[in-house]
Amino acid sequence: MPVLQQHLVKDALPATSIEIDTYMAALGFVKQNREGHFVNKSYEVWDLVPRNVLRDREGDIYIVDAEIKEL
C-alpha cells in the first residue's frame, strides 16, 4: 500500500550520499553499482539520492521517496 501522507520533518536538509550509504549499510543493505540502489536478502530499494532522503538536526535519516521491491 503506498504512503499518501507523511509528517513534516522540521529543519531537514538533504542527506549526503555518504550518510545514505552509511544508513543503509547499518540496516543490512548492500550498495549496488547504480547510484541510490541497495539490496538485502528480502528487498531491493532504489532512488535513494539526496533529494529523496532527509537528515534532521539530530542526524536522524528520513526516506521520503523511494522505490521498494520485495525479492
Side-chain angles (χ1 to χ4, degrees):
M1 175 176 230
V3 175
L4 301 175
Q5 186 176 13
Q6 197 164 339
H7 293 286
L8 174 67
V9 181
K10 291 186 179 184
D11 299 323
L13 298 171
T16 66
S17 294
I18 293 171
E19 290 169 328
I20 295 166
D21 295 350
T22 301
Y23 178 75
M24 293 303 289
L27 294 175
F29 283 85
V30 176
K31 185 176 182 177
Q32 302 301 290
N33 290 332
R34 292 180 282 166
E35 181 185 11
H37 194 126
F38 301 85
V39 297
N40 68 12
K41 293 178 183 177
S42 302
Y43 297 99
E44 178 180 12
V45 182
W46 65 97
D47 208 17
L48 293 181
V49 293
R51 71 176 179 273
N52 294 336
V53 182
L54 301 176
R55 177 183 40 81
D56 70 9
R57 284 184 264 170
E58 287 78 36
D60 295 322
I61 299 292
Y62 297 86
I63 297 173
V64 177
D65 185 21
E67 301 291 331
I68 303 168
K69 176 183 172 186
E70 190 171 5
L71 300 176

